[in-house]
Amino acid sequence: MTAARAPREPFGELLRQWRGRRRVSQLDLSVAAGVSTRHLSFVETGRAKPSRQLVLLLSEHLDVPLRERNRLLLAAGYAPVYTETSLEAPELAAAREAVRRLLTAHLPFPAVAVDRGWNLVDSNAGVTMLLAGVAPELLRPPMNVLRVTLHPGGMAPMIANLGEWRAHLLGRLRREVAATGDEGLAALLAELRGYPCEQRVPEVELPAPGDIMVPLRLRGGDGEELSFFSTVATFGTPLDITLAELSIEAFYPADEATGRAVTAWQG
């Protein structure tokens, strides 16, 4: 288990920040959690100390990520309750096997497993075709999937709709920063925004006629264009930080030509 870092801010200030992120009023939170508005106000101002159960209850109603729930507990003077176990630990053997099965079953198409910071945890062999031409230094562990995708030395020169795909990824990351308050993700977002892009980056994702999702369109080596869409899977009932922050993104061919090309390449 990784030791949790004690927060600088007092519990009341952290609670106000989470209410602000979730746009929940003090009254709405008190009603949802079944506590008086007066008591909640005293807790936020530091005039009253919350019980351990109240910290967990408020965290649940504010949908606070497990990592941050530990920080709220520490700020209130309690020990963390959520573990952060290495994915290689024996306790997570079943989860590790589940991830590997999903990745393998998705072949010949690419799939990756990433942590909260978008660092690569695992992948299948199909990912290799997406990384052709990527600068070796970007592939060194810990390999950040977003950095590899949008960096000018990474996949960016191969992405035919870079402006559109960049807007999609930055939008996802921006929403994650807003949802988690993670400083590392905020720094990554600032870094990615600084990468050059010659194409127009739309501020709002609007569908063109017939579009139902944003595709990833890659220029093939023979001039053929490959088109993918993706799905994201997460663990449904995680009680460990590592599992809660793990996600699997699987890429599917958006047209028959891409399906044939990927199958032929893997064959």
Side-chain angles (χ1 to χ4, degrees):
M1 173 178 176
T2 301
R5 178 172 55 90
R8 297 185 296 272
E9 302 90 343
F11 174 80
E13 176 58 30
L14 289 175
L15 182 60
R16 275 195 298 273
Q17 290 175 16
W18 280 106
R19 279 202 306 105
R21 288 191 186 100
R22 299 299 185 251
R23 299 182 180 179
V24 174
S25 70
Q26 199 173 79
L27 175 60
D28 289 340
L29 181 58
S30 67
V31 171
V35 299
S36 71
T37 306
R38 186 170 185 265
H39 182 58
L40 186 58
S41 176
F42 279 13
V43 166
E44 286 198 357
T45 59
R47 296 175 64 183
K49 177 181 171 64
S51 67
R52 178 175 176 272
Q53 181 60 29
L54 182 58
V55 174
L56 294 172
L57 184 63
L58 296 174
S59 297
E60 179 69 23
H61 283 289
L62 289 172
D63 194 25
V64 177
L66 300 189
R67 182 181 298 277
E68 278 66 37
R69 294 187 192 194
N70 276 348
R71 296 188 69 235
L72 285 170
L73 285 165
L74 282 170
Y78 302 104
V81 299
Y82 298 102
T83 59
E84 184 178 2
T85 310
S86 168
L87 195 59
E88 301 305 316
E91 301 93 312
L92 295 191
R96 188 168 61 248
E97 177 62 19
V99 171
R100 174 51 28 198
R101 283 178 178 272
L102 284 172
L103 295 175
T104 303
H106 193 63
L107 287 169
F109 307 112
V112 297
V114 299
D115 62 18
R116 170 161 142 173
W118 287 84
N119 297 306
L120 185 71
V121 174
D122 200 356
S123 65
N124 67 12
V127 172
T128 307
M129 72 179 303
L130 303 182
L131 301 179
V134 172
E137 59 269 20
L138 293 175
L139 302 178
R140 297 191 187 112
M143 173 183 145
N144 187 276
V145 171
L146 292 187
R147 185 177 291 117
V148 166
T149 303
L150 298 181
H151 193 283
M155 292 172 57
M158 298 176 282
I159 301 177
N161 61 332
L162 179 60
E164 184 181 40
W165 191 248
R166 174 189 171 101
H168 166 66
L169 291 184
L170 293 185
R172 282 177 63 179
L173 185 55
R174 184 174 62 250
R175 290 188 290 272
E176 290 178 9
V177 171
T180 65
D182 187 281
E183 295 178 357
L185 289 180
L188 178 61
L189 178 60
E191 176 189 336
L192 299 179
R193 280 174 169 166
Y195 291 169
C197 181
E198 296 181 357
Q199 297 182 16
R200 185 182 73 85
V201 180
E203 295 184 8
V204 179
E205 294 176 358
L206 294 174
D211 285 350
I212 58 173
M213 64 187 73
V214 179
L216 170 62
R217 293 166 39 213
L218 295 173
R219 301 183 184 93
D222 55 0
E224 184 180 22
E225 186 173 284
L226 305 178
S227 183
F228 298 91
F229 67 89
S230 67
T231 62
V232 178
T234 59
F235 282 89
T237 55
L239 292 175
D240 182 274
I241 293 173
T242 299
L243 294 187
E245 296 179 350
L246 192 69
S247 62
I248 300 171
E249 184 149 11
F251 290 85
Y252 294 82
D255 52 48
E256 292 184 5
T258 298
R260 289 194 299 269
V262 174
T263 302
W265 187 86
Q266 288 289 331

